[in-house]
Amino acid sequence: MDHSIEQLQRMIDESSRIVFFGGAGVSTESGIPDFRSVDGLYHMKYKYPPETILSATFFHRNTEEFYRFYQDKMLCLDAQPNAAHKKLAELERAGKLTAVVTQNIDGLHQAAGSRNVYELHGSVHRNYCTYCHMTDPDAPCYDAQFMKDAQGVPRCPKCGSVIKPDVVLYEEGLDGATIQNSVDHIRAADMLIIGGTSLTVYPAAGLVEYFHGKYLVVINKGAQKNTPRADLIIDGPIGKVLGQIQVR
């Protein structure tokens, strides 16, 4: 076993309140493209750049174009949980991991069996009518397959209004309750594993500052060795790394 994996195993063995903070790199091993890698969405050619398309202003002003991109590139419904998702779920079942805090919107942590997941940027699996959701607390939630199958702009079968994904677009704020729950778990953690993220997206990345536990670990392809405060930095695919860990 590689020395860095041995170190990670020892840290996990010694910890009982682990929190995992993850980003796009956790899902790329399941075939979901990220935004900033060489093969990511920022390097694909569209009429508008992804950060423009995935903004609240663009959603309201160019809804049809938004959904052309969203249905094509954001709804990867055939993706399956990889070794990282599965190992985190196993750690939770063993009582070692208390929460997953994720910047991803794909729902793969839940698909792998994780129960306590805080989705900072929402989820493609929750979609609401822009009118009914404001006027009726019992308005239905539409799943991702409904959105994928829609011809053009998805509309509410009841009132005909546009259905919006429950994802945080550029220009929108994060959910306050999700932020607070994430902060509470990170504060109480004795180990924080940061995986698959370059920690460049704020305010989500700022949550790491609330950690004051014993072990701070960073696992990421291309991880920088000078990451502040980290006790262990592993440059590699997170599924391959976590897949070697024994839960005991």
Side-chain angles (χ1 to χ4, degrees):
M1 182 181 288
D2 182 84
H3 179 61
S4 60
I5 302 298
E6 290 180 349
Q7 287 182 280
L8 178 60
Q9 181 72 66
R10 176 180 57 80
M11 292 175 177
I12 289 175
D13 289 344
E14 294 177 4
S15 303
S16 59
R17 299 185 309 280
I18 303 170
V19 170
F20 178 80
F21 183 100
V26 180
S27 294
T28 53
E29 291 177 63
S30 293
I32 296 179
D34 68 4
F35 277 78
R36 294 172 176 81
S37 70
V38 173
D39 299 318
L41 297 180
Y42 277 105
H43 297 269
M44 297 179 180
K45 295 182 179 180
Y46 293 94
K47 187 176 181 180
Y48 303 92
E51 70 271 24
T52 297
I53 298 174
L54 297 174
S55 68
T57 296
F58 195 91
F59 173 81
H60 292 294
R61 293 181 179 176
N62 302 275
T63 310
E64 188 171 348
E65 185 69 18
F66 170 90
Y67 271 114
R68 192 167 11 252
F69 177 89
Y70 183 81
Q71 290 171 319
D72 185 34
K73 296 300 178 185
M74 305 302 289
L75 294 178
C76 305
L77 304 188
D78 293 331
Q80 297 296 317
N82 60 53
H85 298 106
K86 294 174 183 177
K87 186 63 65 175
L88 292 168
E90 186 180 353
L91 285 166
E92 183 186 47
R93 289 193 297 271
K96 301 279 288 182
L97 184 140
T98 62
V100 169
V101 179
T102 179
Q103 298 176 89
N104 297 332
I105 60 175
D106 48 54
L108 290 181
H109 284 293
Q110 293 92 329
S114 290
R115 300 175 63 107
N116 203 26
V117 181
Y118 296 103
E119 298 169 308
L120 296 174
H121 297 154
S123 172
V124 299
H125 297 283
R126 299 187 299 270
N127 305 275
Y128 300 98
C129 170
T130 51
Y131 176 76
C132 294
H133 187 56
M134 291 189 299
T135 60
D136 180 6
D138 297 320
C141 172
Y142 299 94
D143 63 17
Q145 194 64 55
F146 177 92
M147 304 296 279
K148 185 78 170 179
D149 293 341
Q151 300 298 311
V153 177
R155 293 190 175 275
C156 174
K158 179 180 177 181
C159 73
S161 298
V162 174
I163 295 175
K164 181 182 181 298
D166 187 19
V167 299
V168 179
L169 302 177
Y170 289 96
E171 305 168 346
E172 295 181 332
L174 305 186
D175 177 71
T178 302
I179 287 287
Q180 188 59 58
N181 284 323
S182 300
V183 167
D184 290 344
H185 280 280
I186 290 172
R187 275 179 173 157
D190 58 5
M191 180 176 185
L192 178 63
I193 302 174
I194 301 170
T197 175
S198 57
L199 293 179
T200 58
V201 178
Y202 283 81
L207 296 178
V208 177
E209 298 303 317
Y210 291 96
F211 176 69
H212 301 290
K214 187 175 182 180
Y215 295 126
L216 175 59
V217 176
V218 175
I219 307 169
N220 193 35
K221 289 178 67 175
Q224 299 300 310
K225 296 299 182 183
N226 60 350
T227 302
R229 296 177 51 207
D231 300 289
L232 176 63
I233 299 173
I234 301 177
D235 179 357
I238 187 160
K240 182 178 180 180
V241 172
L242 289 184
Q244 300 178 64
I245 294 300
Q246 301 297 314
V247 178
R248 49 203 185 199

